[in-house]
Amino acid sequence: MSTLGLLRTLFNPKIVTPNAIQLQSLNRSPFLVGLFFNHEQVRTMSRVKRRTTHPPYWHVLKNNQRQDEKISSDNLRFVREVIQDKYKNKSPIKGSDLDIEKKEWDPKTKRSGVIARNIGVQHMWEKDGKKVVCTVLHVLDNHVIRYVPPEEYAKSIIGAKVFRNRKPLGCLVVGAEAANPDRFTRQYCSLFNEVGLLPKKRLARFIVTPNAVLPPCTPLTAGHFVVGQAVDVYGKTIDYGFQGVVKRWGFKGGPASHGATKFHRRGGTIGTGRDKARVWPGQKMPGHMGSERRFCRGLKIVRINMKYNVIYVKGTVPGPTNSIVQIFDTVLPRRKFTEAPPHPTYFPPEDGTLPQEDIWDSSLHVFGSPSISV
Amino acid sequence: MRQLFANRTSSILLQEKCDEADEKSVSKQKPGDESGNTVVVAPPEFRFMYPEFLPDPAMERRNRLKEKLERIDMLQRRSVVEIPEFYTGSVMAVTVADANSPNKFARFVGICIQRGGSGLRAWFILRNVVDKQGVEILYEMYCPLIQKIEVLRLERRLDESLLYLRDALPEYSTFPLDMEPERRLNNSVVPINPLKVKLRPRPWLERWERQNLQGVEDLNLPQRFYDKAEKVAKPWEKYDLMLQYRKTIPAEEQEKIFSDVHSQLQQQEFKRKMRRRRGTDNEQ
C-alpha cells in the first residue's frame, strides 16, 4: 500500500461500505486529509429507495377486483348473515386460559404492540393550567393472527436482516379492522383460516420476546397500555406530493423583488466546479416529499378510555388524521417500564366487573372537576 | 322575580305561554322512527347559541368518534362552569385564575369582537379600552383556569366580526370595568343593535371598504377605493352552493349532534336555575 493510502487509513477510521462515497481530495496534503479537511461524506441513503407503491414480493395478493355481481338485496343480506355466523368476531380466549402458561415479566421483555387509527388532536389542560396538545388514537379491533417462533423468524428475509448479529426474537402477527371477505382474494383470506376470524384489512408484525407470546385469536385493547407510560408510535408521514426545494429542504430561495428574474423559489447552485466536477449523489433537489415511515419516540400516555378503546397521547404522531399507526412500548432506556405492565396483555376481570371507564394521568385536569385556582 | 330568571329554552315554562314567537324555541318531538321511539330534536337556534359543538367542516380531518368524545368532555366542563349564550357584540366579563394578580383572580370586562374554533378549542376575543389603551384578550372557552363567564349585555350587532372596532373611535370600545349585568326585557329574542360605528381617519388596519360592513358609518373615501374594491370583489360567491356546503355541517348531522347534546344541556340549565332559586330564597 502506498504511504498516501496508509496515512489515509490511519487518520480515517471509517468502515467503507459499498454505498458510501469517499472523496479523496488530491489537492490537499496527505497529513491534513483526515485531520482537518474531512471531505469524506458518507451518503448511505442516497441510493436507497425510500418508498414504493407496491408491497414486497413475498406478500400474497390482497385485494379482489370488484365484480358486478347482480344479486338481489335479500340475497345480499343472507350472504352477510352467513358471513357473520361463520366468522364470529368474538375471541374465545379469556385470561384464565393463559394462567397455565403465564410467564413472568422482566425488564428485558418486549411485549406486543397494537394497531390504532389516529383520529385527531384534542386539547387538554394540566393541573397548573398549561395547555397540552394530545393526539387521540383509536385502538381498532386487534386480534393476534399468528406467532412465528424465533428460530423460524430468523430464517425469513426480514428476520435475517434484523437479527444478523444478535439473538433472534419471535414475531407476532396482529391484524386489525375486520372486513367483508368479498373484497379480498382467496389467498389473503386463507391467512386467517386457522384463526377463524373475519379477514382483517391491516396486518402488522411486532417483535416479541418468547415470554410475551400470545396465542392466536387473542384480542388486544386499549387496556394493553398503562396511563403514564411512554410509547413509540410508528406511522407514515403526511404525503405532500412533488414539492419544491423551499418546502422540502427549507431552502431560502431568492429575493421576492429587487429585480430578481425568475429566481424566487429555486435551489441555486448544485455544486462547485472543482471537487469531483459533478453533482454529488444526495444533492437536495425538488422531489416527492412525505409518505415515509417514521417513529415518534417516548410519547406519554395521558388518558385511556376503556369503553371506546381510545388512547390519548401527549404530543403529535406521524401521519394525517384517520391514518393507521402502530403503537409499542418505548425503546428509550430512561422511560421504559420499571414495574410490570399488563403482561402479556390486558384481560377484563373474570367476575364481570367492568374496569374504570376513563383513566386519567395524575398531571391532567379532569373536565368534570372544579376550575383550577392558582 | 322568577320571570327574569326564565330562560327561553326551558320547555317547562314555555308550555304555559305558547306564542308564535316562542313556538320556535320549544324542542320538537319528531314522529317516531322505525323503533317507535320519539326522537327529540333540539330547537333550531342551537346552532347559533352553541356553535362550538359543531365540528370543523374540513372533511379530511373529521372523525365521528373523536367528535363524540370531545362533546362528552365539553358537557363535563359545562357542568362545572356556566358558559352562557353570547354573540359578537355582547358585553361580557370573564374571571380567570391568575398567579400574578393580587387576589389570584383577574376579571376583565369587554365586548366580544370575534368568536371561533370548534370543540374544546373554542375561543372568543374581548375588547376594552383601559386608560386610553385598547386591550384585547383571547379566552379559550373550555380552559379550566376560567372561573366565571358572565354576559353583562346580551345583544348582537349587524356584523359577525367586529374587528373594525380597532380602527373606530375609542368610545365604541369603552366599557366600565365595574359594569353591572343588564336585565333583558324580552327574553325570547336577542336584540340586534343597529349601531353604526364611526371610524378614525385612515390609515386603517384592514381595507374596510372591501368587506361589506353593515355596522360602520359611511367611510367617505375617494372613489378610487370603491373602484378597486369592485375589481377585487367576488360577487359570484353568493351563488356558489358548493362553497357554502363545504363551509357548513349538513342539517341532518347538525340535528343529530344537537339532539345528543340538548337533553344534557337542558338538565344543566335546570340544575343551575334550581340552585339560583334556592340561593335567592336563602337570601330572602
Side-chain angles (χ1 to χ4, degrees):
Chain A
M1 200 193 264
S2 67
T3 35
L4 227 69
L6 245 176
L7 283 162
R8 284 205 191 100
T9 50
L10 280 170
F11 292 124
N12 310 326
K14 279 203 181 95
I15 303 160
V16 178
T17 60
N19 281 344
I21 285 126
Q22 276 188 325
L23 206 229
Q24 278 149 23
S25 168
L26 298 164
N27 293 340
R28 303 181 193 275
S29 78
F31 280 101
L32 296 170
V33 162
L35 281 173
F36 302 110
F37 302 103
N38 193 351
H39 257 243
E40 285 157 33
Q41 302 208 21
V42 179
R43 302 196 198 268
T44 43
M45 290 306 289
S46 61
R47 300 273 193 240
V48 173
K49 204 170 176 190
R50 286 152 81 186
R51 11 177 136 66
T52 55
T53 46
H54 58 84
Y57 65 86
W58 60 83
H59 276 197
V60 184
L61 186 67
K62 185 173 167 188
N63 291 319
N64 233 348
Q65 289 225 326
R66 276 180 184 248
Q67 272 146 25
D68 187 16
E69 276 175 46
K70 295 181 173 61
I71 57 172
S72 65
S73 54
D74 284 335
N75 286 346
L76 192 63
R77 209 180 295 151
F78 174 70
V79 166
R80 286 210 184 110
E81 279 174 23
V82 166
I83 292 170
Q84 286 291 335
D85 285 334
K86 186 180 175 194
Y87 299 91
K88 284 200 178 29
N89 214 19
K90 291 215 174 92
S91 172
I93 301 282
K94 288 179 222 167
S96 52
D97 294 354
L98 280 185
D99 272 347
I100 311 157
E101 11 159 331
K102 200 166 197 171
K103 293 186 183 137
E104 282 296 310
W105 178 86
D106 64 82
K108 294 214 184 233
T109 311
K110 264 172 126 45
R111 291 194 307 161
S112 167
V114 131
I115 304 173
R117 175 176 275 131
N118 167 10
I119 59 176
V121 148
Q122 185 166 303
H123 292 199
M124 301 221 266
W125 285 268
E126 289 181 346
K127 287 215 162 102
D128 56 0
K130 190 171 144 205
K131 191 160 86 170
V132 151
V133 170
C134 299
T135 313
V136 191
L137 301 168
H138 176 215
V139 175
L140 306 167
D141 54 335
N142 286 277
H143 283 100
V144 173
I145 306 297
R146 191 164 54 252
Y147 171 64
V148 181
E151 309 79 34
E152 208 184 305
Y153 190 50
K155 290 181 200 156
S156 69
I157 298 160
I158 298 272
K161 268 194 210 170
V162 173
F163 300 115
R164 188 169 295 147
N165 295 322
R166 42 193 189 116
K167 190 175 155 213
L169 297 172
C171 162
L172 262 183
V173 178
V174 172
E177 248 193 304
N180 191 346
D182 278 350
R183 60 178 284 166
F184 301 122
T185 53
R186 201 186 287 263
Q187 299 97 316
Y188 186 78
C189 290
S190 68
L191 298 170
F192 303 89
N193 279 343
E194 281 179 23
V195 201
L197 287 172
L198 272 170
K200 306 280 193 185
K201 273 196 221 169
R202 296 275 173 171
L203 285 174
R205 292 184 181 192
F206 297 105
I207 310 291
V208 291
T209 46
N211 69 335
V213 169
L214 291 164
C217 218
T218 318
L220 295 165
T221 54
H224 183 74
F225 298 104
V226 173
V227 161
Q229 79 164 99
V231 288
D232 293 341
V233 181
Y234 165 88
K236 236 175 169 185
T237 53
I238 297 175
D239 191 350
Y240 291 97
F242 194 100
Q243 284 299 334
V245 116
V246 168
K247 192 179 179 79
R248 194 179 182 214
W249 298 114
F251 281 19
K252 291 196 79 183
S257 64
H258 290 299
T261 344
K262 304 200 286 186
F263 184 70
H264 307 293
R265 296 182 70 86
R266 299 189 66 175
T269 187
I270 54 173
T272 65
R274 304 208 75 183
D275 299 333
K276 273 294 180 182
R278 63 184 175 108
V279 178
W280 290 14
Q283 173 61 38
K284 294 178 178 176
M285 284 184 164
H288 192 273
M289 176 182 171
S291 190
E292 289 179 56
R293 298 172 195 275
R294 288 284 184 269
F295 277 96
C296 258
R297 302 243 187 233
L299 302 175
K300 185 176 169 192
I301 294 183
V302 287
R303 183 179 165 192
I304 295 181
N305 189 320
M306 299 289 271
K307 183 179 169 193
Y308 292 101
N309 259 337
V310 156
I311 297 173
Y312 292 74
V313 136
K314 187 173 170 181
T316 49
V317 131
T321 311
N322 294 321
S323 67
I324 302 289
V325 295
Q326 294 173 22
I327 318 175
F328 333 73
D329 299 333
T330 194
V331 141
L332 301 179
R334 290 165 88 187
R335 299 192 209 182
K336 279 187 175 171
F337 279 117
T338 41
E339 296 169 348
H343 176 75
T345 187
Y346 168 81
F347 291 101
E350 296 295 308
D351 49 5
T353 52
L354 294 165
Q356 194 187 347
E357 198 183 293
D358 213 344
I359 312 168
W360 294 71
D361 187 43
S362 52
S363 65
L364 273 198
H365 168 260
V366 181
F367 283 115
S369 60
S371 304
I372 299 169
S373 42
V374 176
Chain B
M1 270 296 256
R2 290 217 174 152
Q3 244 199 351
L4 288 162
F5 289 112
N7 192 312
R8 63 189 173 89
T9 55
S10 164
S11 48
I12 302 159
L13 289 157
L14 279 163
Q15 269 153 26
E16 295 166 10
K17 37 162 187 152
C18 249
D19 297 319
E20 274 303 283
D22 292 333
E23 242 175 28
K24 283 191 283 179
S25 339
V26 176
S27 57
K28 290 178 211 123
Q29 287 204 319
K30 256 189 182 165
D33 53 357
E34 285 166 12
S35 59
N37 301 329
T38 48
V39 174
V40 176
V41 172
E45 303 93 64
F46 261 44
R47 65 191 170 107
F48 302 113
M49 287 164 64
Y50 308 107
E52 75 272 8
F53 279 99
L54 294 176
D56 190 358
M59 269 319 285
E60 306 91 42
R61 275 175 263 126
R62 286 203 57 191
N63 185 287
R64 304 294 189 273
L65 175 63
K66 186 246 174 183
E67 285 153 24
K68 184 174 173 181
L69 294 170
E70 201 166 14
R71 258 178 266 134
I72 294 172
D73 286 339
M74 285 160 76
L75 288 167
Q76 289 265 297
R77 175 68 189 153
R78 271 174 181 266
S79 69
V80 176
V81 155
E82 189 198 348
I83 301 175
E85 171 196 358
F86 68 96
Y87 304 91
T88 46
S90 312
V91 181
M92 298 161 68
V94 175
T95 320
V96 165
D98 186 5
N100 302 319
S101 280
N103 303 338
K104 302 292 181 190
F105 292 114
R107 185 172 189 264
F108 185 72
V109 170
I111 183 170
C112 175
I113 57 171
Q114 209 182 22
R115 81 181 279 187
S118 58
L120 289 165
R121 283 177 277 197
W123 52 266
F124 58 91
I125 305 178
L126 293 186
R127 179 184 167 80
N128 204 341
V129 175
V130 176
D131 282 346
K132 296 183 187 171
Q133 173 65 55
V135 174
E136 286 180 15
I137 305 185
L138 186 148
Y139 291 102
E140 294 188 323
M141 273 158 71
Y142 292 90
C143 178
L145 289 169
I146 291 181
Q147 310 297 312
K148 202 176 185 187
I149 303 177
E150 300 160 274
V151 173
L152 306 173
R153 188 193 301 164
L154 179 62
E155 65 177 11
R156 283 163 125 169
R157 291 285 186 95
L158 295 168
D159 298 304
E160 283 304 314
S161 152
L162 300 177
L163 294 175
Y164 54 77
L165 288 177
R166 293 169 182 165
D167 282 327
L169 297 170
E171 52 255 30
Y172 293 103
S173 313
T174 319
F175 299 92
L177 292 171
D178 53 1
M179 190 168 160
E180 294 287 329
E182 292 173 11
R183 298 223 170 111
R184 278 161 60 205
L185 299 163
N186 184 1
N187 265 332
S188 57
V189 170
V190 174
I192 298 178
N193 189 347
L195 178 67
K196 297 254 183 193
V197 154
K198 218 182 262 185
L199 296 186
R200 282 199 301 254
R202 274 174 54 243
W204 294 328
L205 289 165
E206 287 185 41
R207 293 190 232 241
W208 304 117
E209 72 277 5
R210 296 189 185 184
Q211 288 186 27
N212 295 328
L213 300 173
Q214 305 299 316
V216 170
E217 259 190 33
D218 189 25
L219 296 168
N220 282 329
L221 289 170
Q223 185 55 36
R224 58 190 163 94
F225 284 91
Y226 301 112
D227 293 340
K228 201 62 193 293
E230 258 186 60
K231 265 195 192 172
V232 153
K234 299 182 189 173
W236 57 84
E237 272 190 349
K238 65 171 184 262
Y239 305 112
D240 193 348
L241 287 174
M242 282 315 293
L243 186 71
Q244 290 309 311
Y245 182 74
R246 268 182 247 119
K247 277 191 197 169
T248 52
I249 307 289
E252 303 86 18
E253 266 211 77
Q254 284 194 24
E255 266 183 27
K256 228 195 263 182
I257 290 169
F258 284 124
S259 62
D260 269 347
V261 143
H262 171 65
S263 54
Q264 294 230 24
L265 283 172
Q266 266 204 326
Q267 273 178 25
Q268 285 173 9
E269 280 289 339
F270 189 63
K271 278 186 196 159
R272 279 206 187 96
K273 215 191 324 248
M274 288 285 110
R275 244 180 275 145
R276 260 183 248 146
R277 279 191 194 166
R278 257 182 251 131
T280 51
D281 288 344
N282 286 344
E283 277 164 25
Q284 285 168 1

